[in-house]
Amino acid sequence: MIKGLRRIRDALFGGSSQELETALHLPERWKPIDLSNAPPDGRLRVLVLSCMFPTPDAPVAAPFVLEQVQALRRAGVDARVISGRSFALRSERSVLGVLRAIIAFFRLHRAASTRWWELDGVPIRYLPFPSLVRFVPYSWAYRFSIWRNRHSLKEEFSPQILHAHSSHRDGALARKLAIYFKVPYILTEHSSFFARLMETPAARPQIVKALVDAARVIAVSSASKAKIASHPDFQSLPIDVIPNVLDIERFHPADSSPSSLSPLRLLYIGTWEARKNVPILLAALKIVREAKPDTKLRLVRANNNDEQIRDVMAALEELALGDAVHISGHADRGEVARLMRDECDIFVLASKWETFGCVVAEALASGRPAVITPCGGAEDIVTAPWMGEICLKNNDPESLAQAILSVANRLETFDPRRLRQHVVEHFSSSGVAGRIIALYRDVLGPTGLGPTGRAP
């Protein structure tokens, strides 16, 4: 009898505590920390909600969110992050298998719900959410997972303000949590596919409510603000433009400037998703090499799926660029800075659309001019000819090639120190963090209680 019960228990809960710890284990870059009994120390308490935060599965994802929270903490804010981490439920055909998968998820969620990790100085809590559940929307599963942790968050941290970093997933969640915590929330919209989400019947009501009910809305560029305000629901919505924070300390000019007489080195760092237009960049390279045959292009790719890789490799083969293109996998922040400083003459961005374009500002901070398409956010960064050039047309190889050649023919006129100083003045962590904190204080008011007048 007892043995039979044990078999049922093992079949359902299958897995020891050691296996659970293995599932919770994170790489060495993530340090476990205990914040459960940390008393309030008088600092402003901000809970950041971000589905775009780096994870062990995608360590270079959305560094701008991590860097913004780092800047807030350096400025004296007790900012912590909560984010979902995908938990793939096994595809089971038996009832017993489905039960085991569901129970495994809840065991993992319960174990993760009291743990904090430190990533590069930022406290982060990852909560698993089921990503392979039939008939359950991805965004709903994400919000459900974090909502279940609300009681622990209130007991451990009790935030005074929430800051969400997307309107669809995190914004809808922040709206709900703000009611529970009785605090206001700020919403920064980063999404490059915002317009597409607004056309989705299931997503649109959530986005509208999240943006309209936010205490303040932030866009990371003038183009992003215009895109949000173009929708009838948001035409009277006040929107602040505050750019992403850049960790520019690691980005600085090389000791020597490139010469227009040397072989031209182009650099692109980023994903190969369709909106990034990497095949157009390759076609432009083909045209540039007709004028400058020694021109090389380095592509550093990040988090691409097989289809995106196939599309780029097909374009590369069709154009017969041979050894003119060097491809490497994703690079950490230190390697990105080194590539921009030591192996780049011009940084090129061929995107159809960008909400901001951190990598362009990083190139300028490294003393390198940039060539960009009229893609939106990056146009807030390259604002004068002494920084580089915006080509006349988007999605046009000839126009992009002409802009590259124009910058290449005047490489020696670019002042690396001036380029970096522009980034320091407009995008440094201290300046941007100060603007965000001022916005927090404005929302909370002189009493620090927020618009409700109730203590957090």
Side-chain angles (χ1 to χ4, degrees):
M1 174 79 174
I2 293 176
K3 287 183 178 179
L5 290 173
R6 284 176 178 169
R7 286 196 193 99
I8 294 173
R9 180 201 64 188
D10 292 341
L12 282 174
F13 293 92
S16 62
S17 297
Q18 184 176 359
E19 288 174 325
L20 189 62
E21 286 300 314
T22 300
L24 287 166
H25 181 71
L26 299 185
E28 190 174 323
R29 185 182 169 197
W30 283 261
K31 313 293 183 185
I33 53 174
D34 182 9
L35 296 173
S36 57
N37 297 313
D41 55 9
R43 291 183 293 168
L44 176 62
R45 301 185 302 278
V46 179
L47 181 63
V48 175
L49 311 172
S50 177
C51 61
M52 299 179 287
F53 204 76
T55 68
D57 314 298
V60 297
F64 46 83
V65 179
L66 170 62
E67 288 165 4
Q68 183 179 110
V69 181
Q70 288 174 322
L72 291 172
R73 290 185 64 81
R74 284 194 296 269
V77 174
D78 186 359
R80 305 181 191 181
V81 180
I82 188 163
S83 186
R85 190 179 178 198
S86 176
F87 175 81
L89 292 181
R90 297 187 301 273
S91 179
E92 301 283 0
R93 296 186 178 183
S94 68
V95 173
L96 191 62
V98 171
L99 284 173
R100 284 190 60 178
I102 292 173
I103 290 171
F105 163 73
F106 281 106
R107 289 183 72 221
L108 182 60
H109 191 283
R110 183 168 59 249
S113 65
T114 58
R115 301 200 179 201
W116 290 98
W117 302 85
E118 186 176 82
L119 173 61
D120 300 344
V122 172
I124 166 72
R125 171 170 291 168
Y126 295 107
L127 292 172
F129 66 95
S131 60
L132 292 178
V133 184
R134 201 174 287 179
F135 308 123
V136 177
Y138 188 90
S139 58
W140 183 91
Y142 178 93
R143 294 193 293 262
F144 163 78
S145 178
I146 296 177
W147 174 252
R148 291 189 74 243
N149 195 229
R150 64 193 183 281
H151 302 303
S152 294
L153 287 168
K154 188 171 187 177
E155 291 174 5
E156 295 175 29
F157 188 44
S158 188
Q160 293 168 275
I161 194 166
L162 308 177
H163 192 157
H165 280 271
S166 71
S167 57
H168 180 218
R169 205 176 305 166
D170 297 308
L173 175 64
R175 180 175 176 271
K176 194 172 180 181
L177 286 174
I179 296 171
Y180 173 77
F181 289 128
K182 299 179 181 178
V183 300
Y185 70 95
I186 306 295
L187 198 159
T188 297
E189 182 54 70
H190 296 270
S191 178
S192 57
F193 43 87
F194 177 81
R196 191 165 75 244
L197 283 171
M198 284 295 291
E199 295 171 358
T200 306
R204 182 179 179 123
Q206 298 282 352
I207 295 173
V208 171
K209 290 177 183 177
L211 285 166
V212 170
D213 289 348
R216 298 287 279 272
V217 173
I218 299 173
V220 295
S221 67
S222 301
S224 182
K225 175 181 177 178
K227 180 159 282 195
I228 296 170
S230 67
H231 290 273
D233 296 294
F234 310 128
Q235 287 180 353
S236 60
L237 186 71
I239 301 173
D240 297 274
V241 176
I242 301 179
N244 286 324
V245 165
L246 292 179
D247 178 14
I248 59 174
E249 293 308 312
R250 69 178 82 227
F251 294 93
H252 56 82
D255 293 332
S256 60
S257 299
S259 169
S260 58
L261 300 177
S262 304
L264 184 63
R265 300 170 300 172
L266 308 179
L267 176 65
Y268 168 74
I269 298 173
T271 67
W272 291 0
E273 59 188 293
R275 70 179 178 88
K276 296 292 187 176
N277 252 356
V278 177
I280 293 294
L281 173 55
L282 294 174
L285 172 65
K286 184 82 170 180
I287 298 170
V288 169
R289 282 173 60 84
E290 293 173 3
K292 292 182 174 293
D294 293 334
T295 302
K296 304 284 187 181
L297 168 65
R298 177 184 286 268
L299 295 177
V300 181
R301 58 184 177 85
N303 302 331
N304 303 289
N305 61 39
D306 292 341
E307 182 180 356
Q308 292 163 0
I309 293 173
R310 282 195 301 270
D311 290 345
V312 171
M313 297 309 292
L316 190 60
E317 183 176 352
E318 181 181 348
L319 292 164
L321 287 167
D323 60 357
V325 179
H326 178 80
I327 297 173
S328 56
H330 80 263
D332 62 25
R333 307 294 284 153
E335 177 63 6
V336 167
R338 188 197 69 78
L339 288 170
M340 288 183 169
R341 181 173 60 250
D342 299 334
E343 299 189 29
C344 169
D345 298 324
I346 303 172
F347 186 85
V348 185
L349 186 74
S351 297
K352 297 175 184 176
W353 168 255
E354 291 286 343
T355 53
F356 182 61
C358 289
V359 71
V360 175
E362 290 166 354
L364 297 183
S366 303
R368 299 311 186 210
V371 170
I372 66 171
T373 51
C375 58
E379 294 170 86
D380 277 4
I381 302 171
V382 180
T383 57
W386 57 266
M387 301 178 200
E389 194 158 324
I390 304 173
C391 68
L392 296 176
K393 298 178 183 177
N394 206 326
N395 209 39
D396 183 84
E398 184 67 39
S399 179
L400 184 60
Q402 291 307 314
I404 292 170
L405 288 170
S406 172
V407 171
N409 290 333
R410 51 191 178 96
L411 264 185
E412 294 168 339
T413 68
F414 292 96
D415 183 344
R417 306 297 166 183
R418 187 183 182 192
L419 291 173
R420 187 178 192 279
Q421 186 58 33
H422 170 75
V423 177
V424 170
E425 291 174 359
H426 292 84
F427 310 112
S428 66
S429 60
S430 58
V432 175
R435 293 176 63 185
I436 294 171
I437 293 170
L439 190 147
Y440 291 159
R441 297 294 185 191
D442 185 48
V443 168
L444 289 171
T447 63
L449 301 180
T452 63
R454 292 173 290 196

